[in-house]
Amino acid sequence: MDVKLPVAGMVAEAWGLALRAALPSLPWLAGLMVTAGLYRLTLYLQVGAIINLMLLVVVFAAGVAFSLRVYRSMLGASSGTFLKLAHANLAIYMAFLFVGVFIAFFLAILPGILLEVSGRTDLDAKTDPAIVQAAFMDMLPTAYGAVFILACALGLWALCFFAIRLLLVGAATVSRGETMVFRTWPWTKGHALRLSIAAMATHVGPFFAAIAINAALAPLLGTAPAGLFIGGALGVLLLAPFLLAGHGLAVSALPRLAPDAAELAEIATSG
């Protein structure tokens, strides 16, 4: 499909959709905040792996319910189901885990290979970790360090590219009422650059702003049970603009890129 995406227009539309969905999705956001607060609290209290896993599942379910409410509000439709959206999200998480493990494994062994090649230290099972770390820091300003930094940048680029190409999965799943994962992959072909530029204003900026504010507030909340719960809940609240605008960008791009664009555009503008 020969479409030139209007970056500025999509960003403006995404934030408009975020404002449109903010109030209707507030109860679901509150539920996600509570579950995230409880999960952070149980992690710190070390109540047990089984309870932590159960709460993680509850957090995932609360996140799916929130996303479903947001997408329905933005699309102005009641299509899509919790189970199909959960299936799509879980499939994406597994795909990211699969790709991420390979990237992380490569980046984990690369420093050792570069240290051996550079001849800065002889590595074996008995080498003091402090010596290895010192040799690695000494290697970073060299050409070998540049190779490692480039590899890290390429790994990050690969994950970001993967995320951008799958941007439409959630919106397409809800709008069509069926699980859509890699079936949306061809729709974003040739549009990764413009979607990435738009994502700087809907994903990257709000995400890092939330992380910075959360990091600044963390020392004030402390490690008391109440502070831990509030910190977890507050983290989700701070991420709300990122979540809402991110969903908004997907909904904005969907009718422009989907094969049945006319039908989806009518759905997106109804209600």
Side-chain angles (χ1 to χ4, degrees):
M1 184 184 298
D2 188 16
V3 176
K4 187 175 182 180
L5 296 176
V7 174
M10 287 196 308
V11 170
E13 186 175 335
W15 282 105
L17 289 167
L19 291 174
R20 170 178 169 178
L23 187 59
S25 63
L26 190 57
W28 285 263
L29 177 63
L32 182 57
M33 290 170 61
V34 171
T35 57
L38 289 174
Y39 179 67
R40 185 167 186 259
L41 178 60
T42 56
L43 278 180
Y44 184 83
L45 296 178
Q46 298 181 351
V47 296
I50 295 179
I51 295 178
N52 288 336
L53 180 60
M54 290 174 61
L55 272 174
L56 183 60
V57 172
V58 173
V59 171
F60 171 76
V64 172
F66 170 73
S67 289
L68 181 61
R69 176 67 267 179
V70 169
Y71 279 131
R72 284 178 172 175
S73 298
M74 291 179 174
L75 291 165
S78 59
S79 55
T81 66
F82 174 88
L83 288 179
K84 292 187 183 300
L85 185 56
H87 180 195
N89 284 350
L90 191 59
I92 291 177
Y93 295 160
M94 292 299 102
F96 265 100
L97 179 63
F98 181 79
V99 174
V101 164
F102 278 95
I103 293 175
F105 176 76
F106 174 73
L107 293 179
I109 65 173
L110 183 59
I113 296 173
L114 293 174
L115 284 172
E116 288 284 0
V117 172
S118 67
R120 292 179 177 274
T121 185
D122 294 325
L123 298 178
D124 56 43
K126 297 181 180 180
T127 304
D128 189 338
I131 295 177
V132 177
Q133 183 177 0
F136 175 74
M137 296 304 295
D138 185 54
M139 182 189 70
L140 275 181
T142 69
Y144 296 100
V147 170
F148 178 73
I149 293 172
L150 178 60
C152 291
L154 288 174
L156 178 61
W157 172 85
L159 290 175
C160 292
F161 178 80
F162 195 60
I164 286 294
R165 290 297 304 274
L166 294 175
L167 176 70
L168 305 181
V169 170
T173 295
V174 175
S175 67
R176 295 191 169 201
E178 57 181 312
T179 302
M180 305 284 290
V181 183
F182 287 101
R183 282 186 286 175
T184 66
W185 183 271
W187 302 356
T188 55
K189 183 179 180 180
H191 302 288
L193 179 58
R194 286 184 170 270
L195 288 174
S196 298
I197 296 173
M200 296 296 292
T202 58
H203 290 70
V204 179
F207 177 80
F208 282 105
I211 295 299
I213 296 173
N214 198 31
L217 293 177
L220 302 177
L221 296 174
T223 57
L228 292 169
F229 175 83
I230 293 173
L234 183 61
V236 171
L237 180 62
L238 291 172
L239 286 171
F242 156 76
L243 296 171
L244 290 167
H247 286 55
L249 180 61
V251 172
S252 177
L254 182 62
R256 293 178 166 93
L257 298 179
D260 48 354
E263 177 186 346
L264 287 172
E266 183 179 351
I267 295 175
T269 55
S270 65

